[in-house]
Amino acid sequence: MKIRIATRGSELALMQSKWVSEQLNNFGVATELVIIKTQGDILLDKPLHEIGGKGLFTKEVDRAVLDGLADLSVHSLKDMPVEDEEGLILGAIPERESSNDVLVLNNKESKRIGCGSLRRRAQVARLDFGYVFEDVRGNIHTRLKKMVDNNWAGLVVAEAALKRLNLDQQYNYKILDILPSAGQGALGLRIREADSQTKEIVEKINSDRAMRSAFAESRFLKRLGGGCHLPAGIRSVISGDEIIFTGGVFSLSGCDGVICEKRGALAHAEELAVLLAEEILSQGAEQILDKLDP
């Protein structure tokens, strides 16, 4: 059986899908990439939260799976909507890459940095570096080029993206002390709900720990009542059979924020993540979220 893998055509998406392909090949599974052009790749002149959120990067790729043109889709898990597309399930989450956000360093004399994410902006503002944010979209190479061409101080990106494209060897950067997006650094493999054959195959490259932490982080975000564009972050650290969550919700100005921690047995990760969200809401995050534009 040949597994057809639906993917976006960006360099990072292709690199991620090729990596999944290689992992499956190691188990003797033949694969083929099916490249899908999405509206999220075409509409680059507006901030992501204004044109429907990160679901723009996943729905059309997932549609190829639903329509039988592919057997699985590969996404950056942080780009996936909280709710599964009807007829699809998350078949596997391979071993996770770094979940850190980083600032790629370019011009120390400038105070302008490229950053399109509301979550990142809200938290970087709290660090009081005095940066002025510039909207930036497009693939990571496009964003890095804009940083250089516009002589910005830097660009905020996920460390996982730099590492997967080997750009961590080409650019200097520093890790930011901010909470990542739910699922950041992980890949999500979606398959048809009724496709037991593909499910059995992709489970070969599934990481149980990555799956547990990612599901819990998704539950955290869902309990807050928002999707991946919400100015909220969560970090999970697994130590033995224990998992430690740090989560937070932030005002867009960075002036207000609520951060809490919760730890407990890894086996109860999802319940702990929900309790963490409820604690954050009870400590003032509900008021912060109420002030956000619908």
Side-chain angles (χ1 to χ4, degrees):
M1 175 183 178
K2 178 184 286 187
I3 296 293
R4 298 164 299 167
I5 303 172
T7 178
R8 290 168 58 203
S10 73
E11 189 167 353
L12 178 59
L14 285 173
M15 185 68 75
Q16 292 174 166
S17 296
K18 287 176 181 177
W19 182 86
V20 169
S21 174
E22 290 168 1
Q23 305 313 300
L24 292 173
N25 292 162
N26 289 338
F27 285 95
V29 179
T31 57
E32 173 189 349
L33 297 187
V34 179
I35 300 173
I36 308 296
K37 185 91 170 178
T38 74
Q39 286 298 303
D41 294 309
I42 297 169
L43 301 174
L44 297 175
D45 58 340
K46 292 184 179 180
L48 196 57
H49 62 276
E50 290 184 7
I51 55 175
K54 295 178 181 178
L56 285 174
F57 293 133
T58 62
K59 288 184 178 178
E60 290 159 273
V61 178
D62 286 340
R63 175 53 57 183
V65 179
L66 282 170
D67 290 347
L69 301 175
D71 304 298
L72 69 86
S73 55
V74 177
H75 305 289
S76 293
L77 196 63
K78 69 182 179 64
D79 291 343
M80 297 175 70
V82 175
E83 299 291 348
D84 271 331
E85 188 85 11
E86 186 175 354
L88 297 177
I89 59 171
L90 193 57
I93 298 176
E95 196 67 36
R96 195 169 184 171
E97 187 44 278
S98 165
S99 65
N100 293 324
D101 288 293
V102 301
L103 177 64
V104 177
L105 303 171
N106 180 53
N107 174 15
K108 64 181 181 181
E109 304 301 324
S110 174
K111 282 295 183 181
R112 296 184 299 147
I113 62 172
C115 183
S117 160
L118 299 182
R119 172 188 59 82
R120 288 170 174 161
R121 285 190 178 201
Q123 293 186 81
V124 172
R126 287 170 60 83
L127 298 177
D128 200 26
F129 292 144
Y131 289 129
V132 176
F133 299 111
E134 299 285 350
D135 277 324
V136 60
R137 291 247 351 262
N139 65 53
I140 192 165
H141 287 96
T142 297
R143 286 180 281 153
L144 287 166
K145 185 176 186 301
K146 286 182 179 178
M147 174 191 74
V148 173
D149 290 348
N150 291 286
N151 210 24
W152 294 340
L155 177 75
V156 183
V157 298
E159 186 177 26
L162 293 178
K163 288 189 170 185
R164 285 180 174 133
L165 291 170
N166 296 318
L167 294 173
D168 58 324
Q169 306 300 314
Q170 299 178 37
Y171 291 88
N172 292 322
Y173 64 87
K174 65 179 181 181
I175 295 173
L176 293 170
D177 185 20
I178 66 177
L179 295 174
S181 175
Q184 186 157 303
L187 299 179
L189 279 56
R190 267 189 174 154
I191 62 174
R192 287 183 295 277
E193 190 172 11
D195 189 352
S196 57
Q197 190 172 13
T198 299
K199 180 175 175 57
E200 183 178 345
I201 290 172
V202 299
E203 283 178 346
K204 297 177 185 294
I205 61 171
N206 183 63
S207 164
D208 181 65
R209 290 188 163 219
M211 180 78 83
R212 284 178 181 271
S213 62
F215 273 7
E217 291 170 17
S218 178
R219 287 287 302 276
F220 168 82
L221 203 59
K222 183 177 180 179
R223 180 62 187 86
L224 291 177
C228 48
H229 61 282
L230 199 69
I234 181 169
R235 184 184 302 281
S236 58
V237 177
I238 297 174
S239 178
D241 293 328
E242 183 181 56
I243 189 164
I244 305 164
F245 292 111
T246 306
V249 170
F250 311 93
S251 66
L252 299 185
S253 67
C255 295
D256 298 310
V258 180
I259 299 175
C260 296
E261 183 181 292
K262 188 76 69 177
R263 64 175 62 203
L266 178 60
H268 303 299
E270 292 188 46
E271 297 94 318
L272 288 167
V274 171
L275 290 173
L276 176 64
E278 290 173 348
E279 182 176 341
I280 289 173
L281 289 170
S282 70
Q283 292 194 19
E286 196 161 7
Q287 288 73 28
I288 294 174
L289 294 174
D290 284 344
K291 293 177 183 178
L292 297 177
D293 291 334

